[in-house]
Amino acid sequence: MGAVTAIERAVPGVGMLRTYRPAWLGKDVTAGLVLTALLVPQGMAYAELAGLPPITGLYTTVLCLLGYAAFGPSKVLVLGPDSSLGPMIAATVIPLVTANGDPGKAVAYASMLALMVGAITIAAGAFRLGFIADLLSKPTQVGYMNGLALTIVIGQLPKLFGFSVDGDGLIEEATEFVRGVADGRTVPAALAIGVGSLAVILLLNRFLPRIPGVLVAVVLAIAAVAVFDLAARGVKLVGTLPEGFPPLTIPTVPLTDLGLLFAGALGIALVSLTDTISTASAFAGRRGEDVNGNREMIGIGAANIAAGLFQGFPVSTSGSRTAVAEQNGARSQVTGLVGAGAVTLMLVFFPGLLRNLPQPTLAAIVIAASISLADLPALRRLWRQRKSDFALAMAAFLGVALLGVLPGIAIAVALSVLNVFSRVWRPYRTMLGKVEDLKGYHDIRRYPAADALPGLVLYRFDGPLIFANANTFRDDLRRFAEATPPPRWIVVTAEPITDVDTTAADMLVELDLWLNARGINLVFAEMKDPVKTKIERYELTDTIDPNHFFPTIGSAVRAYRDITGLDWPDRDLPD
């Protein structure tokens, strides 16, 4: 029994099958077949978005579903090619492939990228590094996704209009698109079928969300090709897909390119992990389940490695496909297995099924997905609630839109980290005082009429006391000491201080000596036990009087009153 438990812990899919209930099968099969209607066209469209042959999107779809079903912990999460990763894959791979290069070479690079992403995420899960998904704060995620949505739309517009452009970056692509339209390169039939497909997808998603808009658009587009002979009118078609399934393939790339691939893999892994954990949390919360972030990392890593070994590319979680699976009654990862089986059957027995699918329809599918990435209401909310977070979002947006996807993700991560650092560097600080008819000691910024005892400063520092803010703390206390008249006691209400590092400890020693020379006592109240333990380990009590540590603000104030004989008249002093 112990061996079985160990296997199930390592390969959750084994446990899923062992405990599978026959009553679930009908729901899982139905959800899997409905899901297939999305998997095929979206897989092909997102492959082209990544600069790869459409068929690779189907290979990727099948293998990542199998990999996650075996190693992923979620019962309903659906992985696959993703619109948010497509531009990142293209930005990593295309510069390494010469202009009009061999598609096989691009596939090899993308497959190696998938293996790297898989290795990174599995390692992150094994070493319990789930916190790295927090490197993208919500404001920077909002800005990044909006920038990504705009980049995708601009990049797909030429295909929607029936022509192609050779541009690098958002501004150049937009300029080339406008020039192409002005020069009369638009193919009217392509524009009609593309805009029509986009309208069908958006309208059905908006008003009839239970009907798969992508499937309806694909069926109508293929029918339109046959009825109106759109191929003869200049509309490009997908064509017959290669028959069969690729063998196990170990991708090979020049060693000199591995560094650039790894840099791209880090960015893709971060976005994929953030998306996966947030999506998994959302769906698990609706089902009353918990999320194991580290297990999710291993599951998505296995999915990427499986895809990379069969000519696939990096994948992430799809919120839209997961929602479709859940809405249609999915009970387990058997839904994904059914979808993978259906796609495989199409590749083996019906490779020509989508040969008349127009390329503008694929562009419409991608554009519809990119619109769902954009979140303008979130930007408005940030502007209304916190201007600094709005500025972070806009910086991430501009980074993606103007500098490119990979620099954009680097900027988003850097901004998130700097945002955290800035809050630690300049934490909220204030003085406390007594407020009439209120117990306790309160922020004088909120209560300007609060009273203070002569010669006593109650100072609150809302953050860890570390190297980054030690000088800020010191300068505040020196400013208090240099007031006229100077205080006799400066009481640091230390409950919000969660840490003191060695740099801050050295500062406290110097500060205490400087204050003592001026006849001012440095006093602490409500210091947390773990922090006080560090203070003692740093031997600060050799300099700072051990009697100047009080369990509460009230006890410190009473000690000051006993020494000075001062009091707040007619006030109840709390402990």
Side-chain angles (χ1 to χ4, degrees):
M1 194 66 179
V4 173
T5 302
I7 293 174
E8 291 180 358
R9 190 162 49 244
V11 188
V14 173
M16 181 268 294
L17 293 176
R18 190 175 69 84
T19 59
Y20 191 78
R21 300 179 185 177
W24 294 349
L25 185 59
K27 291 281 190 181
D28 280 338
V29 170
T30 300
L33 293 176
V34 173
L35 184 62
T36 304
L38 291 179
L39 295 177
V40 174
Q42 286 188 342
M44 297 170 66
Y46 297 161
E48 290 210 330
L49 180 61
L52 301 167
I55 187 64
T56 60
L58 301 186
Y59 299 157
T60 301
T61 296
V62 171
L63 270 302
C64 76
L65 289 173
L66 295 176
Y68 188 82
F71 293 94
S74 173
K75 293 180 180 179
V76 297
L77 219 57
V78 178
L79 270 64
D82 188 70
S83 57
S84 63
L85 297 189
M88 299 182 71
I89 297 168
T92 303
V93 170
I94 290 177
L96 300 176
V97 181
T98 57
N100 301 317
D102 179 11
K105 185 177 180 181
V107 170
Y109 278 112
S111 297
M112 180 60 75
L113 195 61
L115 294 179
M116 287 182 170
V117 171
I120 291 170
T121 52
I122 288 176
F127 288 99
R128 302 183 180 277
L129 301 179
F131 66 88
I132 66 173
D134 298 331
L135 290 179
L136 281 176
S137 66
K138 185 64 176 179
T140 51
Q141 285 184 54
V142 169
Y144 170 77
M145 286 300 180
N146 279 288
L148 194 60
L150 179 61
T151 301
I152 293 172
V153 169
I154 296 299
Q156 293 296 307
L157 282 178
K159 188 186 294 184
L160 193 74
F161 279 63
F163 63 92
S164 60
V165 300
D166 185 16
D168 184 16
L170 177 69
I171 294 177
E172 191 173 332
E173 286 183 347
T175 302
E176 290 297 317
F177 167 69
V178 172
R179 185 176 292 119
V181 173
D183 292 343
R185 296 173 61 191
T186 301
V187 178
L191 179 60
I193 195 67
V195 172
S197 299
L198 181 60
V200 168
I201 295 171
L202 294 179
L203 289 173
L204 287 179
N205 288 350
R206 175 67 177 85
F207 297 106
L208 297 171
R210 289 189 173 276
I211 297 177
V214 171
L215 175 61
V216 174
V218 167
V219 171
L220 291 178
I222 292 175
V225 168
V227 172
F228 300 105
D229 192 17
L230 295 183
R233 298 173 182 267
V235 177
K236 296 180 180 179
L237 307 178
V238 169
T240 302
L241 298 174
E243 185 175 347
F245 207 78
L248 175 67
T249 305
I250 306 297
T252 57
V253 301
L255 290 176
T256 53
D257 292 338
L258 290 179
L260 293 175
L261 282 175
F262 185 74
L266 285 174
I268 291 171
L270 179 60
V271 172
S272 180
L273 290 175
T274 302
D275 190 28
T276 296
I277 292 177
S278 60
T279 303
S281 299
F283 281 93
R286 287 159 59 171
R287 298 165 64 92
E289 300 172 350
D290 295 326
V291 172
N292 186 328
N294 295 312
R295 287 298 323 175
E296 288 292 355
M297 289 182 172
I298 293 174
I300 196 171
N304 275 284
I305 287 179
L309 292 174
F310 288 87
Q311 299 182 24
F313 50 86
V315 299
S316 182
T317 299
S318 169
S320 62
R321 277 164 276 177
T322 301
V324 167
E326 186 184 55
Q327 288 169 5
N328 286 276
R331 293 291 183 269
S332 72
Q333 284 298 325
V334 169
T335 295
L337 295 176
V338 171
V343 174
T344 302
L345 288 175
M346 189 202 77
L347 288 173
V348 174
F349 297 107
F350 309 103
L353 187 64
L354 298 176
R355 65 180 180 276
N356 289 331
L357 178 61
Q359 291 282 0
T361 298
L362 289 182
I365 293 171
V366 174
I367 290 174
S370 69
I371 291 174
S372 70
L373 292 177
D375 193 351
L376 296 181
L379 281 176
R380 289 195 295 269
R381 187 177 67 253
L382 290 174
W383 171 259
R384 187 174 63 253
Q385 294 177 347
R386 190 181 178 100
K387 297 297 190 294
S388 60
D389 281 353
F390 175 81
L392 284 173
M394 291 306 299
F397 169 82
L398 293 173
V400 174
L402 300 180
L403 301 179
V405 177
L406 290 179
I409 189 64
I411 289 172
V413 172
L415 288 174
S416 294
V417 173
L418 287 174
N419 187 35
V420 173
F421 184 78
S422 68
R423 295 179 186 183
V424 174
W425 176 47
R426 302 287 291 181
Y428 185 77
R429 298 107 60 207
T430 190
M431 295 171 63
L432 305 181
K434 287 289 296 175
V435 180
E436 188 173 2
D437 298 327
L438 285 179
K439 292 184 177 182
Y441 303 89
H442 302 275
D443 188 342
I444 65 171
R445 295 187 184 182
R446 186 170 181 181
Y447 299 96
D451 292 335
L453 272 175
L456 176 68
V457 172
L458 298 177
Y459 172 70
R460 194 179 75 203
F461 187 87
D462 290 358
L465 187 53
I466 59 174
F467 70 95
N469 56 35
N471 287 345
T472 299
F473 181 95
R474 179 200 63 197
D475 293 344
D476 282 350
L477 268 64
R478 284 189 172 184
R479 188 174 64 255
F480 298 146
E482 292 170 347
T484 303
R488 298 176 64 178
W489 276 27
I490 298 178
V491 178
V492 179
T493 61
E495 196 274 337
I497 298 178
T498 56
D499 190 20
V500 175
D501 70 5
T502 55
T503 300
D506 291 342
M507 177 275 298
L508 289 174
V509 170
E510 296 174 2
L511 179 63
D512 186 58
L513 293 173
W514 187 88
L515 291 172
N516 289 341
R518 287 157 178 77
I520 301 171
N521 291 317
L522 177 60
V523 179
F524 294 88
E526 297 186 340
M527 180 173 284
K528 297 178 183 295
D529 287 341
V531 178
K532 190 171 182 181
T533 299
K534 291 182 180 180
I535 291 289
E536 293 169 349
R537 187 166 65 245
Y538 297 152
E539 299 180 349
L540 263 67
T541 50
D542 291 348
T543 303
I544 302 175
D545 189 342
N547 294 321
H548 285 170
F549 290 85
F550 293 90
T552 65
I553 301 175
S555 60
V557 171
R558 281 197 300 273
Y560 178 76
R561 289 164 48 212
D562 291 342
I563 292 174
T564 63
L566 296 173
D567 198 358
W568 275 294
D570 302 322
R571 297 287 176 87
D572 293 330
L573 295 180
D575 288 333

